[in-house]
Amino acid sequence: MRKLAVIRVSRFCLALMVLLWVCAAQAREYPEFADLVERLAPAVVNISAIPLPRAKRSGDADSMNEFFRRFMPKHQPPPREEDELSLGSGFIVSQDGYILTNAHVIEATDEITVRLVDKREFRARLIGMDKRTDIAVLKIDANNLPRVTLGDVNRLRVGDWVVAIGSPFGFDHTVTAGIVSAKGRSLPDENLVPFIQTDVAINPGNSGGPLFNLKGEVVGINSQIYSETGGFMGLSFAIPIDVAIGVHNQLRATGKVTRGRIGVVIQEVTRDLADSFGLKGAQGALVSALEKNSPAEKAGIRVGDVILRFDGRPIPSSFDLPRIVGNAKPGARSTVQVWQKGVLRNVALIVAALPDDNDAPRKPARHIEAVGANRFGLLLAPLSGEQKRRAKLDGGIAVKDARGLAARAQLRGGDVILSGTRRGQAVEFRSVEQFNRFANQVQRGESISLLVKRGSTQSFVSLRMPVQP
């Protein structure tokens, strides 16, 4: 009996040890944030900014409208002017008082106040801001301030724990934590920033605040959220710190940010588009339009080319090209590798400077009469001489209506089809009959691409003929 009791006790002890080991292992899976936050919080600041009176604001939308575009539901009206106060966060990057935050926090403001964790307040002056990346640099008159340590974004991995400190809804130094859920995200109208996506709880007021890794290093600036309600829904986006510091350095040195440009309008290369151009793999940036007398046009790059490398750096996606070109120094000589009419070419060009405001107004599409149809489901019409003159076109045919295959490819009435590419060979269209001859040559299961002008923009659209009739 004693022997049996000893065995039972031993088994109980063993089970208890296993249970304790499992609990300890599970505890180790969750990091300890308290010491980290205690050390980092002094370098994080609260920012409040009083907007300029409406009469002094410029542009169609003021900074507060931009704030509500990013963080509030579309159906919710902005506050009355007398209640307006832009609240955000920031962090100190140097002991003599330089601070990083978001441009939309302090844009079009009359007075900026920075409050530290010890409740001291300073009037801040704006050193400069860059709307394209949503970065602003502030300066307060103070010395021996606590500052953050910068991290290496390249070492940040999807699944890593990260911590945000900021002032959501004005609650100073609020701490939230989560993981990196994706890297290199491209958002609409934000093609210069490869965002870090996290599930950290970010809300209005977190803008401009730091995103830390578990070493206590800043890896990003919390900038945007994806939300249908204006509150946190599990998708937050931070500007990588290397992008922010690059902007910071230029703003401190010159007060502005200089970027390169080559004068192309690009789009993503889908599998069907790659097949139509005879390109192995959906990669690179497809040139859908060229600016007249731009560096790209002068170098011999043409509409329909696929840019695969820039200065030796591969272009896996069209979203990568603007960032890589933007980092090039204006006036520098660069080499561009393009896929042109089924041939790999290297062309040299001189990088130009990206202007501060290069947004062009868009013209509405025109109504055109149709005269025929084709096997793609397109009702087409020729362009008159007057229509060509106004649109500055030498050729092209107008789409009156799109059905079936064409409608599924998102073609629509008012579009103008300029050219088609099949098996890497491009044809410019000057009549409906010419287009129909081109269409009749397309075999079942084959992909083609059409260069389509819509308003003032143009892009390639792919169509794949079904295998079965």
Side-chain angles (χ1 to χ4, degrees), residues 367-414:
H367 178 77
I368 313 168
E369 293 301 321
V371 298
N374 60 62
R375 63 191 295 219
F376 293 144
L378 286 167
L379 294 173
L380 300 173
L383 290 175
S384 68
E386 175 62 18
Q387 289 168 339
K388 291 180 182 179
R389 185 188 65 79
R390 286 189 302 172
K392 298 180 180 180
L393 295 173
D394 295 327
I397 47 177
V399 177
K400 172 63 178 177
D401 193 16
R403 306 166 184 172
L405 182 63
R408 289 194 294 273
Q410 298 186 359
L411 289 168
R412 66 191 189 202

mmCIF file of all heavy atoms in Angstrom, residues 367-414:
data_model
loop_
_atom_site.group_PDB
_atom_site.id
_atom_site.type_symbol
_atom_site.label_atom_id
_atom_site.label_comp_id
_atom_site.label_asym_id
_atom_site.label_seq_id
_atom_site.Cartn_x
_atom_site.Cartn_y
_atom_site.Cartn_z
ATOM 1 N N HIS A 367 -20.485 62.165 -74.262
ATOM 2 C CA HIS A 367 -21.500 61.272 -74.828
ATOM 3 C C HIS A 367 -21.249 61.141 -76.331
ATOM 4 O O HIS A 367 -21.084 62.130 -77.036
ATOM 5 C CB HIS A 367 -22.895 61.850 -74.580
ATOM 6 C CG HIS A 367 -23.980 61.017 -75.169
ATOM 7 N ND1 HIS A 367 -24.411 59.856 -74.578
ATOM 8 C CD2 HIS A 367 -24.689 61.181 -76.308
ATOM 9 C CE1 HIS A 367 -25.377 59.330 -75.321
ATOM 10 N NE2 HIS A 367 -25.559 60.113 -76.367
ATOM 11 N N ILE A 368 -21.230 59.895 -76.847
ATOM 12 C CA ILE A 368 -20.900 59.654 -78.249
ATOM 13 C C ILE A 368 -21.903 58.669 -78.832
ATOM 14 O O ILE A 368 -22.356 57.736 -78.160
ATOM 15 C CB ILE A 368 -19.479 59.076 -78.379
ATOM 16 C CG1 ILE A 368 -18.514 59.896 -77.527
ATOM 17 C CG2 ILE A 368 -18.999 59.073 -79.817
ATOM 18 C CD1 ILE A 368 -17.172 59.257 -77.351
ATOM 19 N N GLU A 369 -22.250 58.861 -80.070
ATOM 20 C CA GLU A 369 -23.196 57.964 -80.732
ATOM 21 C C GLU A 369 -22.507 56.685 -81.191
ATOM 22 O O GLU A 369 -21.375 56.698 -81.662
ATOM 23 C CB GLU A 369 -23.830 58.659 -81.952
ATOM 24 C CG GLU A 369 -24.724 59.830 -81.584
ATOM 25 C CD GLU A 369 -25.866 59.392 -80.687
ATOM 26 O OE1 GLU A 369 -26.415 58.295 -80.922
ATOM 27 O OE2 GLU A 369 -26.189 60.127 -79.749
ATOM 28 N N ALA A 370 -23.216 55.537 -81.082
ATOM 29 C CA ALA A 370 -22.652 54.235 -81.452
ATOM 30 C C ALA A 370 -23.075 53.842 -82.853
ATOM 31 O O ALA A 370 -24.126 54.219 -83.330
ATOM 32 C CB ALA A 370 -23.125 53.178 -80.468
ATOM 33 N N VAL A 371 -22.215 53.036 -83.528
ATOM 34 C CA VAL A 371 -22.553 52.575 -84.871
ATOM 35 C C VAL A 371 -22.376 51.074 -85.030
ATOM 36 O O VAL A 371 -22.728 50.533 -86.074
ATOM 37 C CB VAL A 371 -21.657 53.275 -85.925
ATOM 38 C CG1 VAL A 371 -21.888 54.769 -85.903
ATOM 39 C CG2 VAL A 371 -20.180 52.968 -85.690
ATOM 40 N N GLY A 372 -21.883 50.340 -84.023
ATOM 41 C CA GLY A 372 -21.696 48.908 -84.231
ATOM 42 C C GLY A 372 -21.346 48.195 -82.950
ATOM 43 O O GLY A 372 -21.197 48.790 -81.897
ATOM 44 N N ALA A 373 -21.239 46.885 -83.036
ATOM 45 C CA ALA A 373 -20.909 46.061 -81.880
ATOM 46 C C ALA A 373 -19.861 45.044 -82.280
ATOM 47 O O ALA A 373 -19.556 44.864 -83.451
ATOM 48 C CB ALA A 373 -22.157 45.386 -81.352
ATOM 49 N N ASN A 374 -19.294 44.330 -81.301
ATOM 50 C CA ASN A 374 -18.294 43.305 -81.603
ATOM 51 C C ASN A 374 -18.407 42.160 -80.610
ATOM 52 O O ASN A 374 -19.217 42.210 -79.677
ATOM 53 C CB ASN A 374 -16.880 43.900 -81.600
ATOM 54 C CG ASN A 374 -16.525 44.500 -80.262
ATOM 55 O OD1 ASN A 374 -16.480 43.822 -79.250
ATOM 56 N ND2 ASN A 374 -16.315 45.819 -80.251
ATOM 57 N N ARG A 375 -17.565 41.156 -80.770
ATOM 58 C CA ARG A 375 -17.667 39.934 -79.984
ATOM 59 C C ARG A 375 -17.307 40.120 -78.521
ATOM 60 O O ARG A 375 -17.562 39.242 -77.702
ATOM 61 C CB ARG A 375 -16.771 38.850 -80.608
ATOM 62 C CG ARG A 375 -15.303 39.205 -80.593
ATOM 63 C CD ARG A 375 -14.497 38.239 -81.444
ATOM 64 N NE ARG A 375 -14.490 36.880 -80.946
ATOM 65 C CZ ARG A 375 -13.433 36.085 -80.979
ATOM 66 N NH1 ARG A 375 -12.295 36.529 -81.477
ATOM 67 N NH2 ARG A 375 -13.502 34.871 -80.531
ATOM 68 N N PHE A 376 -16.689 41.258 -78.152
ATOM 69 C CA PHE A 376 -16.391 41.529 -76.749
ATOM 70 C C PHE A 376 -17.591 42.104 -75.999
ATOM 71 O O PHE A 376 -17.526 42.314 -74.799
ATOM 72 C CB PHE A 376 -15.229 42.514 -76.625
ATOM 73 C CG PHE A 376 -13.912 41.974 -77.087
ATOM 74 C CD1 PHE A 376 -13.003 42.788 -77.732
ATOM 75 C CD2 PHE A 376 -13.570 40.647 -76.879
ATOM 76 C CE1 PHE A 376 -11.783 42.299 -78.162
ATOM 77 C CE2 PHE A 376 -12.354 40.140 -77.294
ATOM 78 C CZ PHE A 376 -11.454 40.962 -77.943
ATOM 79 N N GLY A 377 -18.668 42.402 -76.724
ATOM 80 C CA GLY A 377 -19.816 43.032 -76.086
ATOM 81 C C GLY A 377 -19.725 44.533 -76.060
ATOM 82 O O GLY A 377 -20.399 45.184 -75.263
ATOM 83 N N LEU A 378 -18.916 45.104 -76.948
ATOM 84 C CA LEU A 378 -18.726 46.549 -77.002
ATOM 85 C C LEU A 378 -19.548 47.158 -78.133
ATOM 86 O O LEU A 378 -19.492 46.698 -79.285
ATOM 87 C CB LEU A 378 -17.246 46.882 -77.227
ATOM 88 C CG LEU A 378 -16.306 46.688 -76.032
ATOM 89 C CD1 LEU A 378 -14.859 46.737 -76.499
ATOM 90 C CD2 LEU A 378 -16.568 47.745 -74.971
ATOM 91 N N LEU A 379 -20.287 48.202 -77.794
ATOM 92 C CA LEU A 379 -20.920 49.043 -78.807
ATOM 93 C C LEU A 379 -19.996 50.224 -79.031
ATOM 94 O O LEU A 379 -19.733 50.997 -78.111
ATOM 95 C CB LEU A 379 -22.294 49.508 -78.334
ATOM 96 C CG LEU A 379 -23.352 48.419 -78.163
ATOM 97 C CD1 LEU A 379 -24.598 49.001 -77.517
ATOM 98 C CD2 LEU A 379 -23.710 47.795 -79.504
ATOM 99 N N LEU A 380 -19.488 50.370 -80.254
ATOM 100 C CA LEU A 380 -18.437 51.345 -80.544
ATOM 101 C C LEU A 380 -18.904 52.411 -81.515
ATOM 102 O O LEU A 380 -19.861 52.219 -82.276
ATOM 103 C CB LEU A 380 -17.213 50.625 -81.108
ATOM 104 C CG LEU A 380 -16.581 49.568 -80.208
ATOM 105 C CD1 LEU A 380 -15.483 48.820 -80.950
ATOM 106 C CD2 LEU A 380 -16.046 50.203 -78.940
ATOM 107 N N ALA A 381 -18.203 53.525 -81.521
ATOM 108 C CA ALA A 381 -18.490 54.625 -82.436
ATOM 109 C C ALA A 381 -17.183 55.316 -82.791
ATOM 110 O O ALA A 381 -16.265 55.368 -81.962
ATOM 111 C CB ALA A 381 -19.451 55.620 -81.795
ATOM 112 N N PRO A 382 -17.080 55.841 -84.009
ATOM 113 C CA PRO A 382 -15.870 56.597 -84.358
ATOM 114 C C PRO A 382 -15.864 57.954 -83.658
ATOM 115 O O PRO A 382 -16.918 58.490 -83.301
ATOM 116 C CB PRO A 382 -15.984 56.754 -85.878
ATOM 117 C CG PRO A 382 -17.458 56.697 -86.139
ATOM 118 C CD PRO A 382 -18.035 55.762 -85.123
ATOM 119 N N LEU A 383 -14.682 58.487 -83.469
ATOM 120 C CA LEU A 383 -14.544 59.834 -82.930
ATOM 121 C C LEU A 383 -14.560 60.834 -84.075
ATOM 122 O O LEU A 383 -13.904 60.635 -85.097
ATOM 123 C CB LEU A 383 -13.237 59.974 -82.151
ATOM 124 C CG LEU A 383 -13.124 59.224 -80.826
ATOM 125 C CD1 LEU A 383 -11.718 59.390 -80.264
ATOM 126 C CD2 LEU A 383 -14.141 59.729 -79.829
ATOM 127 N N SER A 384 -15.298 61.927 -83.896
ATOM 128 C CA SER A 384 -15.310 62.979 -84.904
ATOM 129 C C SER A 384 -14.015 63.775 -84.840
ATOM 130 O O SER A 384 -13.261 63.700 -83.863
ATOM 131 C CB SER A 384 -16.503 63.907 -84.681
ATOM 132 O OG SER A 384 -16.328 64.636 -83.475
ATOM 133 N N GLY A 385 -13.764 64.547 -85.879
ATOM 134 C CA GLY A 385 -12.574 65.388 -85.893
ATOM 135 C C GLY A 385 -12.549 66.368 -84.739
ATOM 136 O O GLY A 385 -11.508 66.626 -84.140
ATOM 137 N N GLU A 386 -13.720 66.922 -84.384
ATOM 138 C CA GLU A 386 -13.808 67.864 -83.280
ATOM 139 C C GLU A 386 -13.517 67.175 -81.946
ATOM 140 O O GLU A 386 -12.831 67.736 -81.084
ATOM 141 C CB GLU A 386 -15.211 68.492 -83.248
ATOM 142 C CG GLU A 386 -15.466 69.410 -82.055
ATOM 143 C CD GLU A 386 -14.549 70.622 -82.019
ATOM 144 O OE1 GLU A 386 -13.950 70.956 -83.068
ATOM 145 O OE2 GLU A 386 -14.418 71.231 -80.940
ATOM 146 N N GLN A 387 -14.033 65.944 -81.792
ATOM 147 C CA GLN A 387 -13.782 65.205 -80.547
ATOM 148 C C GLN A 387 -12.294 64.884 -80.401
ATOM 149 O O GLN A 387 -11.734 64.986 -79.308
ATOM 150 C CB GLN A 387 -14.607 63.922 -80.533
ATOM 151 C CG GLN A 387 -16.100 64.182 -80.360
ATOM 152 C CD GLN A 387 -16.938 62.954 -80.634
ATOM 153 O OE1 GLN A 387 -16.499 62.028 -81.316
ATOM 154 N NE2 GLN A 387 -18.145 62.940 -80.093
ATOM 155 N N LYS A 388 -11.657 64.517 -81.500
ATOM 156 C CA LYS A 388 -10.218 64.233 -81.449
ATOM 157 C C LYS A 388 -9.427 65.496 -81.121
ATOM 158 O O LYS A 388 -8.459 65.451 -80.370
ATOM 159 C CB LYS A 388 -9.755 63.658 -82.791
ATOM 160 C CG LYS A 388 -10.269 62.268 -83.087
ATOM 161 C CD LYS A 388 -9.761 61.794 -84.450
ATOM 162 C CE LYS A 388 -10.310 60.416 -84.800
ATOM 163 N NZ LYS A 388 -9.847 59.959 -86.121
ATOM 164 N N ARG A 389 -9.849 66.611 -81.683
ATOM 165 C CA ARG A 389 -9.124 67.854 -81.448
ATOM 166 C C ARG A 389 -9.227 68.273 -79.984
ATOM 167 O O ARG A 389 -8.236 68.647 -79.363
ATOM 168 C CB ARG A 389 -9.685 68.965 -82.357
ATOM 169 C CG ARG A 389 -8.905 70.275 -82.273
ATOM 170 C CD ARG A 389 -9.607 71.379 -83.038
ATOM 171 N NE ARG A 389 -10.886 71.696 -82.447
ATOM 172 C CZ ARG A 389 -11.051 72.455 -81.361
ATOM 173 N NH1 ARG A 389 -9.995 72.961 -80.746
ATOM 174 N NH2 ARG A 389 -12.253 72.693 -80.888
ATOM 175 N N ARG A 390 -10.441 68.179 -79.435
ATOM 176 C CA ARG A 390 -10.618 68.580 -78.038
ATOM 177 C C ARG A 390 -9.889 67.657 -77.076
ATOM 178 O O ARG A 390 -9.367 68.093 -76.054
ATOM 179 C CB ARG A 390 -12.112 68.608 -77.692
ATOM 180 C CG ARG A 390 -12.856 69.795 -78.300
ATOM 181 C CD ARG A 390 -14.254 69.893 -77.752
ATOM 182 N NE ARG A 390 -15.027 68.672 -77.993
ATOM 183 C CZ ARG A 390 -16.235 68.432 -77.479
ATOM 184 N NH1 ARG A 390 -16.795 69.332 -76.696
ATOM 185 N NH2 ARG A 390 -16.861 67.322 -77.738
ATOM 186 N N ALA A 391 -9.854 66.368 -77.400
ATOM 187 C CA ALA A 391 -9.171 65.405 -76.528
ATOM 188 C C ALA A 391 -7.690 65.273 -76.865
ATOM 189 O O ALA A 391 -6.984 64.510 -76.201
ATOM 190 C CB ALA A 391 -9.841 64.036 -76.647
ATOM 191 N N LYS A 392 -7.241 66.002 -77.916
ATOM 192 C CA LYS A 392 -5.842 65.952 -78.345
ATOM 193 C C LYS A 392 -5.421 64.528 -78.682
ATOM 194 O O LYS A 392 -4.401 64.013 -78.224
ATOM 195 C CB LYS A 392 -4.914 66.546 -77.276
ATOM 196 C CG LYS A 392 -5.186 68.011 -76.981
ATOM 197 C CD LYS A 392 -4.243 68.551 -75.914
ATOM 198 C CE LYS A 392 -4.541 70.026 -75.636
ATOM 199 N NZ LYS A 392 -3.636 70.584 -74.594
ATOM 200 N N LEU A 393 -6.262 63.880 -79.522
ATOM 201 C CA LEU A 393 -6.008 62.505 -79.932
ATOM 202 C C LEU A 393 -5.841 62.433 -81.438
ATOM 203 O O LEU A 393 -6.505 63.155 -82.187
ATOM 204 C CB LEU A 393 -7.166 61.589 -79.512
ATOM 205 C CG LEU A 393 -7.411 61.412 -78.011
ATOM 206 C CD1 LEU A 393 -8.694 60.618 -77.784
ATOM 207 C CD2 LEU A 393 -6.225 60.721 -77.364
ATOM 208 N N ASP A 394 -4.953 61.545 -81.876
ATOM 209 C CA ASP A 394 -4.800 61.285 -83.308
ATOM 210 C C ASP A 394 -5.731 60.177 -83.780
ATOM 211 O O ASP A 394 -6.078 60.100 -84.956
ATOM 212 C CB ASP A 394 -3.352 60.896 -83.622
ATOM 213 C CG ASP A 394 -2.388 62.026 -83.364
ATOM 214 O OD1 ASP A 394 -2.796 63.199 -83.558
ATOM 215 O OD2 ASP A 394 -1.241 61.750 -82.963
ATOM 216 N N GLY A 395 -6.093 59.285 -82.871
ATOM 217 C CA GLY A 395 -6.959 58.167 -83.227
ATOM 218 C C GLY A 395 -7.819 57.790 -82.047
ATOM 219 O O GLY A 395 -8.051 58.580 -81.135
ATOM 220 N N GLY A 396 -8.298 56.545 -82.072
ATOM 221 C CA GLY A 396 -9.143 56.064 -80.992
ATOM 222 C C GLY A 396 -10.581 55.892 -81.421
ATOM 223 O O GLY A 396 -11.036 56.494 -82.407
ATOM 224 N N ILE A 397 -11.285 55.043 -80.698
ATOM 225 C CA ILE A 397 -12.700 54.801 -80.953
ATOM 226 C C ILE A 397 -13.447 54.891 -79.634
ATOM 227 O O ILE A 397 -12.909 54.577 -78.576
ATOM 228 C CB ILE A 397 -12.931 53.426 -81.621
ATOM 229 C CG1 ILE A 397 -12.149 52.355 -80.877
ATOM 230 C CG2 ILE A 397 -12.588 53.454 -83.087
ATOM 231 C CD1 ILE A 397 -12.381 50.968 -81.424
ATOM 232 N N ALA A 398 -14.690 55.324 -79.719
ATOM 233 C CA ALA A 398 -15.468 55.598 -78.513
ATOM 234 C C ALA A 398 -16.335 54.412 -78.138
ATOM 235 O O ALA A 398 -16.867 53.704 -79.003
ATOM 236 C CB ALA A 398 -16.342 56.828 -78.729
ATOM 237 N N VAL A 399 -16.489 54.191 -76.841
ATOM 238 C CA VAL A 399 -17.378 53.153 -76.320
ATOM 239 C C VAL A 399 -18.719 53.804 -75.983
ATOM 240 O O VAL A 399 -18.794 54.704 -75.151
ATOM 241 C CB VAL A 399 -16.788 52.488 -75.060
ATOM 242 C CG1 VAL A 399 -17.767 51.464 -74.482
ATOM 243 C CG2 VAL A 399 -15.459 51.832 -75.379
ATOM 244 N N LYS A 400 -19.763 53.322 -76.660
ATOM 245 C CA LYS A 400 -21.113 53.787 -76.357
ATOM 246 C C LYS A 400 -21.719 52.984 -75.212
ATOM 247 O O LYS A 400 -22.345 53.537 -74.310
ATOM 248 C CB LYS A 400 -21.988 53.672 -77.602
ATOM 249 C CG LYS A 400 -23.462 53.941 -77.363
ATOM 250 C CD LYS A 400 -23.723 55.337 -76.888
ATOM 251 C CE LYS A 400 -25.217 55.572 -76.715
ATOM 252 N NZ LYS A 400 -25.488 56.912 -76.179
ATOM 253 N N ASP A 401 -21.473 51.674 -75.232
ATOM 254 C CA ASP A 401 -22.010 50.811 -74.182
ATOM 255 C C ASP A 401 -21.116 49.576 -74.077
ATOM 256 O O ASP A 401 -20.427 49.199 -75.041
ATOM 257 C CB ASP A 401 -23.452 50.404 -74.510
ATOM 258 C CG ASP A 401 -24.162 49.781 -73.313
ATOM 259 O OD1 ASP A 401 -23.655 49.946 -72.176
ATOM 260 O OD2 ASP A 401 -25.205 49.139 -73.504
ATOM 261 N N ALA A 402 -21.107 48.970 -72.912
ATOM 262 C CA ALA A 402 -20.303 47.768 -72.676
ATOM 263 C C ALA A 402 -21.183 46.703 -72.032
ATOM 264 O O ALA A 402 -21.851 46.969 -71.032
ATOM 265 C CB ALA A 402 -19.107 48.080 -71.782
ATOM 266 N N ARG A 403 -21.153 45.494 -72.605
ATOM 267 C CA ARG A 403 -21.962 44.393 -72.091
ATOM 268 C C ARG A 403 -21.085 43.147 -71.982
ATOM 269 O O ARG A 403 -20.003 43.093 -72.531
ATOM 270 C CB ARG A 403 -23.145 44.120 -73.034
ATOM 271 C CG ARG A 403 -24.005 45.341 -73.325
ATOM 272 C CD ARG A 403 -24.931 45.116 -74.490
ATOM 273 N NE ARG A 403 -25.691 46.322 -74.830
ATOM 274 C CZ ARG A 403 -26.459 46.430 -75.903
ATOM 275 N NH1 ARG A 403 -26.578 45.428 -76.749
ATOM 276 N NH2 ARG A 403 -27.116 47.556 -76.125
ATOM 277 N N GLY A 404 -21.587 42.150 -71.298
ATOM 278 C CA GLY A 404 -20.916 40.867 -71.257
ATOM 279 C C GLY A 404 -19.476 40.949 -70.799
ATOM 280 O O GLY A 404 -19.167 41.473 -69.720
ATOM 281 N N LEU A 405 -18.569 40.442 -71.650
ATOM 282 C CA LEU A 405 -17.144 40.386 -71.315
ATOM 283 C C LEU A 405 -16.577 41.780 -71.052
ATOM 284 O O LEU A 405 -15.808 41.980 -70.106
ATOM 285 C CB LEU A 405 -16.382 39.719 -72.461
ATOM 286 C CG LEU A 405 -14.876 39.531 -72.282
ATOM 287 C CD1 LEU A 405 -14.599 38.607 -71.109
ATOM 288 C CD2 LEU A 405 -14.248 38.977 -73.556
ATOM 289 N N ALA A 406 -16.966 42.748 -71.875
ATOM 290 C CA ALA A 406 -16.457 44.117 -71.702
ATOM 291 C C ALA A 406 -16.946 44.729 -70.392
ATOM 292 O O ALA A 406 -16.196 45.415 -69.692
ATOM 293 C CB ALA A 406 -16.879 44.984 -72.883
ATOM 294 N N ALA A 407 -18.198 44.498 -70.038
ATOM 295 C CA ALA A 407 -18.735 45.032 -68.793
ATOM 296 C C ALA A 407 -18.037 44.410 -67.592
ATOM 297 O O ALA A 407 -17.750 45.096 -66.603
ATOM 298 C CB ALA A 407 -20.240 44.792 -68.716
ATOM 299 N N ARG A 408 -17.744 43.109 -67.680
ATOM 300 C CA ARG A 408 -17.046 42.450 -66.573
ATOM 301 C C ARG A 408 -15.629 42.988 -66.421
ATOM 302 O O ARG A 408 -15.055 42.943 -65.326
ATOM 303 C CB ARG A 408 -17.022 40.935 -66.795
ATOM 304 C CG ARG A 408 -18.385 40.270 -66.623
ATOM 305 C CD ARG A 408 -18.259 38.765 -66.520
ATOM 306 N NE ARG A 408 -17.793 38.169 -67.743
ATOM 307 C CZ ARG A 408 -18.559 37.804 -68.752
ATOM 308 N NH1 ARG A 408 -19.884 37.994 -68.676
ATOM 309 N NH2 ARG A 408 -18.059 37.250 -69.838
ATOM 310 N N ALA A 409 -15.049 43.503 -67.505
ATOM 311 C CA ALA A 409 -13.727 44.124 -67.447
ATOM 312 C C ALA A 409 -13.812 45.589 -67.024
ATOM 313 O O ALA A 409 -12.803 46.291 -67.039
ATOM 314 C CB ALA A 409 -13.032 44.018 -68.801
ATOM 315 N N GLN A 410 -15.036 46.041 -66.674
ATOM 316 C CA GLN A 410 -15.293 47.385 -66.149
ATOM 317 C C GLN A 410 -15.124 48.474 -67.203
ATOM 318 O O GLN A 410 -14.879 49.640 -66.864
ATOM 319 C CB GLN A 410 -14.418 47.677 -64.928
ATOM 320 C CG GLN A 410 -14.691 46.732 -63.774
ATOM 321 C CD GLN A 410 -13.942 47.082 -62.514
ATOM 322 O OE1 GLN A 410 -13.177 48.039 -62.476
ATOM 323 N NE2 GLN A 410 -14.150 46.313 -61.464
ATOM 324 N N LEU A 411 -15.260 48.119 -68.471
ATOM 325 C CA LEU A 411 -15.379 49.144 -69.503
ATOM 326 C C LEU A 411 -16.783 49.724 -69.442
ATOM 327 O O LEU A 411 -17.731 49.054 -69.031
ATOM 328 C CB LEU A 411 -15.118 48.538 -70.885
ATOM 329 C CG LEU A 411 -13.664 48.141 -71.179
ATOM 330 C CD1 LEU A 411 -13.589 47.303 -72.444
ATOM 331 C CD2 LEU A 411 -12.784 49.360 -71.293
ATOM 332 N N ARG A 412 -16.934 50.972 -69.882
ATOM 333 C CA ARG A 412 -18.246 51.606 -69.807
ATOM 334 C C ARG A 412 -18.365 52.691 -70.859
ATOM 335 O O ARG A 412 -17.381 53.120 -71.477
ATOM 336 C CB ARG A 412 -18.469 52.187 -68.421
ATOM 337 C CG ARG A 412 -17.567 53.320 -68.036
ATOM 338 C CD ARG A 412 -17.690 53.646 -66.564
ATOM 339 N NE ARG A 412 -16.989 54.871 -66.215
ATOM 340 C CZ ARG A 412 -16.587 55.164 -64.998
ATOM 341 N NH1 ARG A 412 -16.810 54.315 -64.006
ATOM 342 N NH2 ARG A 412 -15.964 56.304 -64.736
ATOM 343 N N GLY A 413 -19.606 53.126 -71.062
ATOM 344 C CA GLY A 413 -19.862 54.166 -72.039
ATOM 345 C C GLY A 413 -19.106 55.439 -71.717
ATOM 346 O O GLY A 413 -19.014 55.835 -70.555
ATOM 347 N N GLY A 414 -18.560 56.081 -72.759
ATOM 348 C CA GLY A 414 -17.757 57.278 -72.575
ATOM 349 C C GLY A 414 -16.270 57.010 -72.634
ATOM 350 O O GLY A 414 -15.479 57.938 -72.823
#
